[in-house]
Amino acid sequence: MTEILRAAIFHTPANPFANPKALIALDDGGLAIEAGRVVQCGDFAAVSAAHPGASVRDWRGGVILPGFIDTHIHYPQVRILGGLGHSLLDWLEELALPEEARFADLSYAITVANEFVNALAAHGTTTALVFGSHFAPATAALFSAAEAKGLRIFSGLVLADRGLRPELHQTCEAAYRDCQELIARFHGKGRLGYAVIPRFALSASEQMLEACGALLRETNGLRFTTHINENSLEIEEVAKLFPWADDYLGVYERFGLIGPASVLAHNVIADNAVLKRLASHAASVAHCPCSNAALGSGVFPLKRHHEHSVRIALGTDVGGGTGFGMLKEALQACLQQRLAVDPVTLNPGQMLYLATRAGAEALGIDSKTGDFETGKAADLVYVRPRPASVLSAVLAHAESPEHKLSALFTTAGSDSIGEVRVDGETVFGDN
Ligand code: GUN
Ligand code: ZN
């Protein structure tokens, strides 16, 4: 049975930084879906003529976008959102790590895992690369909650054997064994995938990073994620712990951790030598503008990343960031780049790409999701302006499709998310 969703539709089947025509904007669009896949996306008149027997869902007045893809977020930090006024290392010590220690309690972890996946879906995020917990049962709870909710989640046990607090440290042997068990249980199961996740170089011994390399070599298709070059004090400490490394990236490179399946969060303070090497590895950077501002980490050098052809996607970095909203994250990327030393003016197509297809590319799933090309998964967000809201007024009077799309980034909050689907299945809906 074919269903056609009728609304304004935007998606970016190509990269709008490379191709100025990459944004597809359909004012009266039709998205035909069958068995969870896109069968056609185009003007409603053409799509309905091609599928005369299809049922039509009339979402006119609203907008359909590909599901958002969040490439950096921490599940055990939902409840500490909103802690402003800190810098990375004191925020970790005072807010993040005490909260993350609570995940030793499995029932606490299960409750928060459900809050977390519900929040992702309610904000239109259909795919995410998620930092799990330092505790294996709590990490399993996240995978189980994601599976029950129906989201595409890459996650894993967060690894540390020094530098945090003792209850968050594992031995390398226990870390390796727990990861193997979680991989066997969850990697490739339905929409789930496993990521190897040392928290950051500051909290990992060489032996732990060696274990990460072994895990990546032993199982096909794992992702790798960690933090890098976020904060100047952090970078100084990493240099002291790994005096043999030329720079922060060199620590991870030494253990074979960097490649096309690697997503490195932040990279705010990065010289050109690092950018050149990231590009040569085809690794991706998760740009987290809300977090970078909230923790005073700095303004992301987006222009230099582009000049070096480093792949970039967006991450909310909950709870160092300010919430789950990927529209807000893209807006912050835009606003902060206006103010950067080397400014870049992002257009709405580029913002949409960063929040959707760029994430799919970073995770190596762009042949499956990230836009509405025929054959792709029907992963989508229906943005529905509330009656008499500012958003509805702006959308009704927008003079161009681009203005309509910008209005979403500037004006639509999570209260505007009407329905969210993954593989055509509804994971959130308040209709
Ligand atoms: N570096 C190490 N751990 C963290 C974390 O939880 N959040 C952020 N933003 N940076 C980190
Ligand atoms: Zn983070």
Side-chain angles (χ1 to χ4, degrees):
M1 176 66 187
T2 307
E3 182 185 22
I4 302 174
L5 308 177
R6 182 176 191 180
I9 299 175
F10 296 94
H11 69 131
T12 53
N15 179 345
F17 290 100
N19 174 354
K21 297 207 166 121
L23 173 67
I24 307 291
L26 302 160
D27 208 32
D28 183 11
L31 183 67
I33 298 172
E34 206 178 295
R37 302 259 183 137
V38 174
V39 290
Q40 192 181 0
C41 179
D43 287 323
F44 176 75
V47 174
S48 62
H51 302 277
S55 63
V56 175
R57 191 77 182 267
D58 192 348
W59 281 344
R60 276 179 292 175
V63 177
I64 299 171
L65 304 174
F68 303 131
I69 300 184
D70 187 338
T71 59
H72 185 69
I73 184 162
H74 297 253
Y75 122 70
Q77 296 179 6
V78 181
R79 293 187 176 187
I80 54 159
L81 270 167
L84 299 173
H86 294 265
S87 297
L88 175 64
L89 299 182
D90 61 273
W91 173 82
L92 280 171
E93 181 113 353
E94 290 172 34
L95 287 172
L97 302 183
E99 172 64 7
E100 294 202 28
R102 300 200 173 99
F103 287 70
D105 174 352
L106 180 57
S107 69
Y108 185 79
I110 290 170
T111 305
V112 179
N114 285 308
E115 290 171 2
F116 179 79
V117 296
N118 288 339
L120 283 175
H123 286 76
T125 298
T126 51
T127 299
L129 175 59
V130 182
F131 270 55
S133 161
H134 287 278
F135 303 98
T139 303
L142 185 262
F143 276 119
S144 299
E147 187 180 22
K149 191 79 189 162
L151 299 177
R152 286 186 210 289
I153 295 294
F154 296 89
S155 188
L157 184 66
V158 179
L159 307 174
D161 62 347
R162 62 172 163 181
L164 302 180
R165 41 169 67 207
E167 59 277 38
L168 296 179
H169 296 158
Q170 314 103 326
T171 63
C172 295
E173 294 72 25
Y176 178 83
R177 186 202 57 225
D178 286 349
C179 287
Q180 288 290 28
E181 282 176 18
L182 289 165
I183 289 167
R185 241 175 111 185
F186 296 110
H187 182 56
K189 186 174 185 214
R191 299 175 189 140
L192 307 178
Y194 197 84
V196 175
I197 314 181
R199 186 169 193 127
F200 60 163
L202 258 191
S203 65
S205 67
E206 295 185 17
Q207 202 195 348
M208 186 63 98
L209 296 171
E210 191 72 62
C212 291
L215 288 162
L216 289 170
R217 283 191 300 276
E218 286 160 15
T219 304
N220 283 334
L222 299 183
R223 272 63 176 182
F224 173 79
T225 191
T226 189
H227 297 93
I228 196 168
N229 289 330
E230 180 176 1
N231 167 287
S232 50
L233 280 179
E234 169 211 20
I235 294 168
E236 278 172 29
E237 292 304 313
V238 169
K240 285 185 206 153
L241 282 181
F242 302 93
W244 46 260
D246 285 344
D247 50 39
Y248 202 150
L249 178 63
V251 175
Y252 298 135
E253 284 175 320
R254 166 75 69 97
F255 298 96
L257 305 178
I258 308 300
S262 308
V263 179
L264 301 169
H266 299 289
N267 210 36
V268 174
I269 305 163
D271 62 23
N272 290 343
V274 163
L275 297 179
K276 210 168 152 192
R277 282 170 18 239
L278 284 173
S280 72
H281 292 297
S284 297
V285 168
H287 171 34
C288 307
C290 289
S291 166
N292 293 343
L295 293 174
S297 304
V299 177
F300 181 68
L302 187 131
K303 188 159 187 204
R304 282 194 299 115
H305 279 70
H306 276 155
E307 284 166 356
H308 289 82
S309 301
V310 179
R311 298 158 61 183
I312 299 167
L314 286 181
T316 58
D317 197 21
V318 166
T322 62
F324 286 78
M326 287 290 287
L327 291 169
K328 178 172 76 173
E329 207 63 47
L331 175 66
Q332 273 299 320
C334 170
L335 299 182
Q336 291 181 25
Q337 289 309 312
R338 298 292 326 249
L339 303 175
V341 178
D342 244 352
V344 178
T345 305
L346 296 176
N347 65 43
Q350 292 166 336
M351 291 160 73
L352 179 65
Y353 166 77
L354 287 172
T356 57
R357 193 186 155 91
E361 291 172 359
L363 292 166
I365 53 172
D366 47 304
S367 62
K368 186 183 275 184
T369 188
D371 61 66
F372 296 138
E373 277 184 322
T374 299
K376 295 225 170 135
D379 293 0
L380 61 94
V381 186
Y382 162 47
V383 184
R384 178 252 312 101
R386 294 215 172 267
S389 62
V390 173
L391 179 60
S392 74
V394 179
L395 287 181
H397 297 99
E399 279 170 6
S400 68
E402 285 74 17
H403 185 194
K404 227 177 217 184
L405 186 53
S406 318
L408 298 187
F409 290 111
T410 51
T411 313
S414 62
D415 60 333
S416 312
I417 305 292
E419 188 164 319
V420 181
R421 298 189 190 181
V422 179
D423 281 334
E425 292 168 15
T426 300
V427 296
F428 174 79
D430 72 351
N431 287 305

